[in-house]
């Protein structure tokens, strides 16, 4: 009932109200943003047009070839320098002041040629601007032009300055040209009345506001988060702020528009109707829910009594939904009683198993002691090789049965392998040779236990075919900083190319065909392969190399922590 009320009444009405409310906001604000952005763009383009005109005037002077020749040569009356100065250089600046669309305040040329005299109110020595705050950073940079704002002039006005380096065609630095324009002249479009009839402000790259407009508006503007202005508009404290960046001067044009009321009378009436509908429905739902909860409360009390009385079933006389709940609860109580009974039985059996396990720990020690007695008896009888083999067999059993560790050092594995080969020598005598070639700095490497002996056993079992003598060599080397390579190589009968490819495919994919009693040669290798992939990952399978009639080599690649020890190629002696 609750879900039905939520999904069929509350959610549809709520979503409809929110959708209508949201659409009205979006429509009003989208129209407001669009109109405001159009106005701000017009102001921006007008100011940028003035900036382009100022830069054009500066370019006409800075890149004038004849003026560059004049400033680049030593000043001399004998070379008619005075005539050039009087008849061309000075009029060039004067004409630029007369024929320009922007009310430029002043054009100045600062030359690094000390021989040219200052004059005509436009030509100065570069020494006069070296104390300016912008000079050193500008000269040290690769920039060829710069806009700066000089505030608090003698007449109380702010001056924008467009500064350019004068570089000759040959690449020689000749000086600096500066075009000055009053802030009120350059930014006049921002101060003039606009279509939206709203105040416009200019903010520099450090988010400082150029003082224009009323102080109250400036206080509102200070509350804007700079990060919000990055997307072009922001809403803050009941105002919509629309921003556009000016090129060159690193300023933003910002207009502040008061946000209008978001709800009209029709929308307000619709929302009030939704609210009243909600209230009526909630009151009705409250009384229905109260009746339902009273029945639910009585059923919960019965459940509490059933739990307190030792999970006894609840009498059920109802046929409605609460009767169904009571029936299911009784089934649950019955299952809990069964589970408790099973748990007690399992706990008893577990204690018995623990006692048997403690008793069984005595058996391995009994086996070790018995083997030691046999070994001592063989030694007294003079059968030293059998005595040594019996002792090795006891050590192998201890290595197999002692501890729960899954890993051992490579040295321990090789020692275990040597004991196994001593047992094989009882059967094959001098017809089998076993050698280990392992650098000493790899002996402490941790490897999985019992990964080498099954491989060697497989070599002994299959390597003697059509051979009287079998050589088995163990190699280990560091492949890189992250892996080592262990190889078990014999000079036995080898494996055919087809069978070799089949085995390597099985090791890579872990898909092994069912094998009968007479075809079990790769079960031990498959076990090693699965252990390698389980503990080290799918990228570390067992791999075989072989040439039929010549050799077989099993290769294991294991992860390794890089250690920068000095290389040692000595053979770790097991036996010969």
């Amino acid at each position: 009932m609750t879900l039905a009320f939520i999904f069929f009444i509350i959610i549809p009405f709520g979503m409809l109200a929110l959708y209508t409310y949201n659409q009205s906001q979006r429509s009003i604000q989208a129209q407001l943003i669009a109109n405001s952005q159009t106005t701000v763009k017009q102001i921006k383009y007008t100011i940028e047009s003035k900036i382009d005109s100022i830069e054009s005037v500066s370019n006409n002077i800075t890149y004038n070839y004849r003026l560059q020749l004049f400033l680049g040569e030593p000043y001399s009356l004998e070379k008619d320098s005075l005539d050039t100065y009087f008849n061309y250089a000075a009029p060039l600046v004067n004409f630029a002041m007369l024929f320009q669309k922007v009310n430029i305040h002043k054009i100045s040329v600062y030359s690094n040629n000390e021989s040219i005299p200052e004059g005509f109110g436009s030509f100065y020595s570069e020494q006069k601007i070296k104390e300016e705050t912008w000079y050193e950073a500008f000269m040290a940079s690769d920039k060829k032009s710069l806009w700066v704002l000089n505030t608090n002039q003698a007449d109380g006005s702010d001056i924008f300055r467009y500064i350019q380096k004068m570089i000759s065609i040959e690449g020689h630095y000749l000086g600096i040209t500066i075009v000055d324009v009053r802030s009120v002249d350059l930014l006049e479009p921002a101060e003039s009345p606009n279509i939206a009839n709203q105040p416009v402000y200019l903010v520099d790259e450090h988010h400082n506001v150029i003082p224009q407009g009323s102080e109250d508006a400036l206080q509102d503007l200070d509350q804007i988060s700079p990060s919000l202005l990055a997307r072009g508009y922001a809403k803050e404290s009941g105002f919509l702020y629309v921003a556009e960046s000016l090129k060159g001067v690193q300023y933003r044009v910002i207009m502040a528009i008061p946000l209008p009321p978001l709800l009209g009378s029709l929308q307000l009436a619709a929302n009030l109707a939704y609210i009243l509908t909600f209230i009526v429905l909630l009151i009705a739902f409250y009384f229905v829910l109260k009746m339902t909860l009273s029945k639910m409360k009585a059923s919960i009390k019965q459940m509490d009594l059933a739990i307190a009385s030792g999970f006894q079933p609840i009498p059920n006389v109802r046929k409605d939904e609460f009767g169904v709940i009571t029936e299911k609860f009784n089934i649950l109580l019955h299952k809990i009683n069964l589970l408790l009974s099973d748990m007690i039985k399992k706990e008893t059996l577990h204690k018995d198993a623990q006692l048997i396990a403690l008793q069984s720990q005595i058996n391995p020690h009994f086996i070790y002691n018995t083997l030691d007695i046999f070994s001592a008896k063989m030694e007294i009888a003079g059968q030293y090789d059998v005595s040594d083999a019996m002792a090795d067999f006891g050590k192998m059993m201890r290595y197999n049965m002692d501890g729960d560790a899954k890993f051992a050092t490579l040295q321990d594995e090789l020692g275990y392998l040597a004991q196994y080969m001593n047992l094989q020598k009882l059967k094959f005598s001098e017809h089998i040779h076993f050698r280990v070639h392992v650098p000493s700095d790899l002996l402490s490497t941790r490897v999985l236990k019992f990964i080498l002996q099954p491989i060697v056993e497989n070599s002994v079992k299959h390597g003697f075919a059509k051979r009287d003598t079998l050589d088995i060599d163990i190699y280990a080397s560091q492949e890189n900083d992250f892996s080592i390579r262990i190889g078990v190589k014999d000079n036995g009968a080898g494996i055919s190319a087809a069978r070799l490819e089949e085995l390597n495919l099985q090791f890579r994919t872990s898909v092994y065909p069912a094998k009968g009693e007479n075809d079990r040669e790769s079960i031990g290798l498959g076990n090693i392969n699965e252990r390698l992939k389980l503990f080290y990952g799918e990228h570390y399978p067992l791999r075989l190399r072989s040439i039929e009639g010549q050799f077989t080599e099993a290769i294991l690649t294991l992860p390794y922590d890089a250690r920068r020890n000095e290389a040692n190629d000595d053979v770790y002696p097991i036996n010969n």
Side-chain angles (χ1 to χ4, degrees):
M1 187 182 299
T2 303
L3 291 176
F5 180 79
I6 292 174
F7 283 107
F8 294 109
I9 298 178
I10 293 182
I11 291 180
F13 274 85
M15 291 179 64
L16 184 60
L18 289 175
Y19 176 78
T20 306
Y21 179 78
N22 186 55
Q23 287 300 107
S24 64
Q25 288 189 51
R26 285 176 176 271
S27 177
I28 295 171
Q29 293 182 6
Q31 185 176 1
L32 181 62
I33 291 172
N35 294 338
S36 303
Q37 286 180 331
T38 301
T39 303
V40 173
K41 285 181 184 295
Q42 290 175 349
I43 296 172
K44 169 193 172 181
Y45 293 148
T46 305
I47 295 176
E48 287 183 348
S49 177
K50 291 189 175 186
I51 291 173
D52 290 339
S53 298
I54 293 169
E55 292 180 355
S56 178
V57 170
S58 176
N59 290 337
N60 291 337
I61 297 173
T62 303
Y63 298 108
N64 186 281
Y65 181 69
R66 190 170 177 183
L67 179 61
Q68 289 184 355
L69 289 178
F70 172 69
L71 296 177
E73 296 178 352
Y75 184 86
S76 173
L77 296 178
E78 297 177 357
K79 294 182 179 180
D80 298 327
S81 295
L82 180 61
D83 293 338
T84 302
Y85 198 180
F86 186 80
N87 296 322
Y88 183 79
L92 179 66
V93 177
N94 293 332
F95 290 155
M97 289 288 295
L98 292 174
F99 299 101
Q100 43 90 15
K101 300 178 182 179
V102 184
N103 188 18
I104 294 176
H105 176 65
K106 185 178 182 181
I107 301 176
S108 305
V109 178
Y110 293 87
S111 173
N112 66 345
N113 189 343
E114 298 293 339
S115 64
I116 298 177
E118 298 181 350
F120 300 100
S122 300
F123 292 87
Y124 303 94
S125 171
E126 189 177 358
Q127 296 295 329
K128 289 193 173 183
I129 58 172
K130 287 189 175 181
E131 299 300 325
E132 297 282 345
T133 56
W134 52 265
Y135 180 82
E136 290 187 4
F138 178 56
M139 295 303 295
S141 69
D142 296 331
K143 295 180 179 179
K144 293 185 178 180
S145 62
L146 178 70
W147 277 94
V148 297
L149 175 64
N150 281 6
T151 58
N152 301 323
Q153 301 298 309
D155 58 356
S157 62
D158 296 332
I159 298 293
F160 277 99
R161 315 191 83 181
Y162 181 63
I163 306 164
Q164 275 204 100
K165 295 177 183 177
M166 183 179 288
I167 308 295
S168 68
I169 297 176
E170 294 80 10
H172 302 302
Y173 171 72
L174 301 176
I176 290 177
T177 60
I178 299 179
V179 180
D180 292 340
V181 59
R182 288 189 176 89
S183 173
V184 293
D185 294 325
L186 180 63
L187 307 178
E188 181 269 336
E191 295 182 331
S192 302
N194 52 70
I195 299 175
N197 197 26
Q198 298 297 336
V200 177
Y201 310 98
L202 287 153
V203 180
D204 64 15
E205 57 185 341
H206 302 295
H207 308 291
N208 298 318
V209 180
I210 296 179
Q212 297 186 39
S214 65
E215 292 297 327
D216 294 338
L218 288 176
Q219 292 177 2
D220 294 335
L221 189 61
D222 290 340
Q223 300 177 9
I224 304 175
S225 172
S227 61
L228 292 177
L229 289 176
R231 60 181 179 179
Y233 65 90
K235 291 179 285 185
E236 192 77 31
S237 302
F239 280 86
L240 171 67
Y241 296 92
V242 180
E244 287 286 343
S245 297
L246 294 174
K247 69 175 184 180
V249 295
Q250 303 298 322
Y251 282 89
R252 286 179 180 270
V253 179
I254 299 178
M255 176 182 288
I257 307 101
L259 289 173
L262 296 176
L263 295 175
S265 57
L266 181 61
Q267 184 65 37
L268 180 60
N271 280 275
L272 287 175
Y274 290 139
I275 293 173
L276 291 174
T277 303
F278 278 131
I279 293 174
V280 172
L281 291 174
L282 287 173
I283 293 174
F285 180 72
Y286 170 76
F287 287 105
V288 174
L289 188 61
K290 185 177 180 181
M291 294 171 57
T292 305
L293 290 178
S294 63
K295 298 178 181 180
M296 187 180 297
K297 190 173 183 181
S299 296
I300 291 174
K301 287 183 178 180
Q302 289 182 326
M303 292 178 183
D304 288 337
L305 291 174
I307 295 172
S309 61
F311 304 106
Q312 296 299 320
I314 302 173
N316 185 17
V317 295
R318 303 178 66 94
K319 300 298 182 182
D320 56 6
E321 290 83 355
F322 291 102
V324 175
I325 293 175
T326 302
E327 181 182 353
K328 299 300 182 183
F329 186 74
N330 287 335
I331 294 174
L332 178 62
L333 293 178
H334 178 67
K335 290 187 175 182
I336 290 174
N337 287 325
L338 292 177
L339 289 174
L340 287 175
S341 178
D342 290 343
M343 187 180 298
I344 293 172
K345 292 179 182 178
K346 290 179 180 179
E347 187 67 23
T348 303
L349 293 174
H350 180 64
K351 293 295 183 181
D352 294 340
Q354 285 183 325
L355 179 59
I356 294 172
L358 290 173
Q359 293 173 348
S360 66
Q361 290 180 0
I362 302 173
N363 295 335
H365 296 286
F366 172 74
I367 295 173
Y368 306 149
N369 294 335
T370 303
L371 289 175
D372 287 341
I373 293 173
F374 289 161
S375 177
K377 191 67 175 177
M378 293 295 181
E379 186 174 357
I380 293 173
Q383 297 181 3
Y384 300 108
D385 54 345
V386 179
S387 175
D388 292 340
M390 191 71 70
D392 287 334
F393 180 62
K395 293 176 182 178
M396 290 177 65
M397 290 192 63
R398 187 180 300 273
Y399 184 78
N400 280 328
M401 302 176 69
D402 279 357
D404 297 325
K406 297 181 180 65
F407 294 88
T409 64
L410 182 56
Q411 184 172 12
D412 290 340
E413 276 292 288
L414 293 173
Y416 175 74
L417 200 55
Q419 293 160 4
Y420 171 76
M421 292 307 298
N422 286 338
L423 293 178
Q424 293 296 335
K425 280 182 175 291
L426 284 178
K427 178 180 179 181
F428 297 104
S429 186
E430 297 302 323
H431 295 286
I432 188 168
H433 302 284
F434 177 65
R435 293 180 295 270
V436 176
H437 310 266
V438 178
S440 59
D441 57 348
L442 295 181
L443 293 176
S444 60
T445 303
R446 294 176 69 250
V447 298
L448 280 172
K449 291 177 70 173
F450 314 122
I451 59 171
L452 297 180
Q453 185 270 335
I455 299 175
V456 174
E457 182 179 1
N458 199 65
S459 295
V460 173
K461 181 178 180 181
H462 300 282
F464 270 110
K466 299 181 183 180
R467 288 184 180 272
D468 296 330
T469 302
L470 181 65
D471 295 333
I472 300 176
D473 292 276
I474 308 292
Y475 297 92
S477 62
Q478 184 174 339
E479 292 289 285
N480 49 49
D481 287 346
F482 306 104
S483 65
I484 63 171
R485 182 180 186 272
I486 301 176
V488 180
K489 185 175 182 181
D490 65 65
N491 63 342
I495 306 173
S496 66
R499 180 58 176 160
L500 181 67
E501 183 178 357
E502 178 185 352
L503 289 173
N504 281 324
L505 178 63
Q506 292 176 13
F507 295 149
R508 288 194 303 271
T509 61
S510 295
V511 178
Y512 306 97
K515 295 187 178 293
E517 292 296 326
N518 298 323
D519 189 17
R520 301 178 57 85
E521 69 273 11
S522 65
I523 291 179
L525 298 182
N527 178 273
I528 293 173
N529 178 67
E530 294 308 307
R531 291 174 64 211
L532 289 172
K533 294 169 73 173
L534 177 63
F535 282 92
Y536 296 127
E538 292 294 326
H539 300 294
Y540 296 93
L542 178 66
R543 184 164 58 92
L544 296 180
R545 292 177 58 247
S546 181
I547 296 178
E548 190 171 7
Q550 295 185 24
F551 75 90
T552 299
E553 181 180 11
I555 300 171
L556 297 83
T557 303
L558 308 179
Y560 177 69
D561 292 333
R563 290 176 292 180
R564 302 297 183 183
N565 294 342
E566 186 176 0
N568 186 341
D569 294 330
D570 293 340
V571 175
Y572 177 67
I574 300 296
N575 55 52
N576 294 321

